[in-house]
Amino acid sequence: MRQNPLIRHGTDLAMTVLLLLLMACSVTGQAVHEWLGIALSLLSVFHHLLNLRWLRSVAKGIYPPARILQSALAALLLLSMTAQVISGVAMSRHALPFLDLPLPVSAARLVHLSCGYWSFLLVSLHLGLHWGVFLAMGRRLRGGKPLPARGTLALRAAAGAAALCGALCFIRQDIADYLFLKTEFAFFDYEKAPVQVFGELLAVMSLWVLAGYLLKRIAVSRSKSRRHAA
């Protein structure tokens, strides 16, 4: 049965918004953070149900570089989010305190912190791999007409500037330390305005969206080169 693209894109948008809210724990507070985590988990299940056709095809066909990249990223994201959910449930004090998982809180905190940032990074890369969908939507809105050269240059400059800001935020916030288990606690600046918190998160996301988009371009280019060589 053909799916309504509005449902698919609406689900993806809702998941992205929820992820940003989850990363802004200093703004939402712990109780809201836990309920948002449950909402994202349920939407993730729905997202996989919408993509059952793709899941059934994983063991079929050939694997060019672009498909290897997409499948590997999807597998890593599934592992990261699963670990994030389990560790979150183990630490829950508000939404699910009655679920007593046999996982020490200290270990759960470390896993949850690391996987939270890995999931954020991987989701951003995943968005970048599929950025062509948004570009196609933009072309359709313009009636199939290409952007003027100045418009294309302006968009590329904006993407580069956002990615540069994201790289600076990534470094200043020591996000690599969270990714590679170098610290056990997240350090939040509670004096930051919510607008600044979300702006920095969007900047970091922009960095990895751009990285995912470029990786997809490279993978597709390699696939074409192999076909021509054959």
Side-chain angles (χ1 to χ4, degrees):
M1 185 177 70
R2 188 176 181 82
Q3 293 178 0
N4 188 332
L6 289 177
I7 296 177
R8 179 184 293 274
H9 296 322
T11 301
D12 294 342
L13 176 61
M15 290 176 67
T16 303
V17 171
L18 283 173
L19 181 61
L20 286 168
L21 290 170
L22 281 166
M23 297 303 296
C25 188
S26 61
V27 175
T28 62
Q30 184 62 33
V32 174
H33 178 80
E34 292 184 15
W35 286 109
L36 290 173
I38 293 173
L40 180 58
S41 300
L42 294 175
L43 270 181
S44 297
V45 173
F46 184 61
H47 173 81
H48 283 87
L49 290 175
L50 290 175
N51 289 278
L52 278 178
R53 184 177 178 182
W54 182 85
L55 291 170
R56 290 174 183 145
S57 68
V58 166
K60 301 176 182 177
I62 60 174
Y63 269 79
R67 190 181 181 192
I68 292 173
L69 177 63
Q70 181 178 349
S71 300
L73 188 60
L76 289 172
L77 182 55
L78 178 61
L79 287 173
S80 179
M81 292 196 73
T82 300
Q84 191 179 357
V85 169
I86 293 173
S87 58
V89 170
M91 293 191 301
S92 178
R93 301 195 308 268
H94 303 279
L96 303 169
F98 51 88
L99 294 180
D100 188 17
L101 297 184
L103 181 65
V105 173
S106 57
R109 182 188 300 113
L110 195 60
V111 170
H112 195 71
L113 179 60
S114 177
C115 288
Y117 279 96
W118 273 114
S119 296
F120 182 63
L121 187 153
L122 291 168
V123 165
S124 301
L125 286 171
H126 184 73
L127 283 172
L129 292 186
H130 297 279
W131 201 250
V133 174
F134 302 102
L135 295 178
M137 290 172 62
R139 284 193 294 270
R140 285 197 296 271
L141 290 174
R142 297 191 306 273
K145 298 178 181 179
L147 270 179
R150 289 182 180 179
T152 301
L153 183 61
L155 286 177
R156 289 177 177 175
L164 178 59
C165 289
L168 293 174
C169 292
F170 186 89
I171 294 169
R172 288 175 180 172
Q173 296 177 17
D174 296 320
I175 292 178
D177 289 348
Y178 300 136
L179 293 172
F180 297 105
L181 305 175
K182 291 185 177 181
T183 181
E184 295 185 16
F185 299 95
F187 296 96
F188 299 121
D189 185 353
Y190 290 95
E191 295 183 358
K192 282 184 182 179
V195 172
Q196 183 180 353
V197 172
F198 287 110
E200 291 176 353
L201 286 171
L202 284 171
V204 175
M205 177 174 276
S206 298
L207 169 66
W208 295 105
V209 167
L210 179 59
Y213 175 72
L214 294 176
L215 284 172
K216 178 68 175 291
R217 292 284 297 270
I218 293 170
V220 170
S221 177
R222 291 193 62 181
S223 297
K224 290 180 178 178
S225 299
R226 288 184 180 182
R227 284 199 297 269
H228 290 316

